Amino acid sequence: MFINKFPPHIPEVKIPEDRTVNVLAEVNRGFVSLRAIGQGRDKRNSLLYDVIAGSWILDSCCNFPTLFYIVFMVHYIVFVLYKKYEDKIIDYFGENAMVELKKYYAIFDEKCLSMISKGPSKDKK
């Protein structure tokens, strides 16, 4: 009014209470599901989310035809090499790789996994 202008008309925003309650209930259900996965009680959904996340990461790296071609070629090459050098090289390297993986898993288990709680304990009858 001081400079002969009226203040702008700002509409009033109202969110219906029932929609707010429904949205918050869904958010709460999601948090309950994530907590169950984190505690190790919901292994099926944990695996499902891992597959979805892995697929999303692979999809962001390359498109489907390229990924299909890469998987097909690697599968074919590994199969042929295994048949050709099965007893000479592949089994030897496979055994060495398993020994190394077990060693690194033991270190990882000692330093990281042992610090994670396993969830609520179940009483055995």
Side-chain angles (χ1 to χ4, degrees):
M1 296 291 277
F2 180 68
I3 55 173
N4 294 332
K5 286 194 172 187
F6 294 102
H9 175 68
I10 300 174
E12 186 177 337
V13 177
K14 291 184 180 180
I15 300 174
E17 187 176 332
D18 58 340
R19 286 186 186 171
T20 306
V21 170
N22 289 339
V23 168
L24 290 178
E26 290 296 322
V27 169
N28 190 32
R29 191 174 307 144
F31 284 140
V32 168
S33 176
L34 288 175
R35 183 171 186 224
I37 290 170
Q39 291 178 340
R41 289 185 283 148
D42 196 358
K43 299 210 185 296
R44 181 182 160 270
N45 280 341
S46 176
L47 180 64
L48 179 67
Y49 293 146
D50 290 345
V51 168
I52 290 171
S55 299
W56 181 69
I57 290 169
L58 281 176
D59 186 46
S60 66
C61 293
C62 57
N63 58 8
F64 181 74
T66 304
L67 182 65
F68 181 76
Y69 178 73
I70 291 170
V71 168
F72 178 76
M73 292 306 292
V74 167
H75 180 264
Y76 182 73
I77 291 170
V78 167
F79 179 73
V80 170
L81 287 176
Y82 186 74
K83 284 294 183 184
K84 190 172 182 181
Y85 301 109
E86 177 179 1
D87 51 351
K88 299 176 188 171
I89 299 172
I90 305 294
D91 289 340
Y92 172 75
F93 283 118
E95 290 171 1
N96 287 343
M98 286 303 295
V99 168
E100 289 293 320
L101 283 175
K102 287 179 182 179
K103 183 174 71 173
Y104 287 125
Y105 180 76
I107 293 169
F108 179 70
D109 186 32
E110 177 186 327
K111 291 186 177 182
C112 297
L113 295 180
S114 62
M115 295 181 190
I116 299 173
S117 65
K118 304 296 184 200
S121 63
K122 297 179 182 177
D123 294 333
K124 294 186 179 182
K125 295 180 182 177

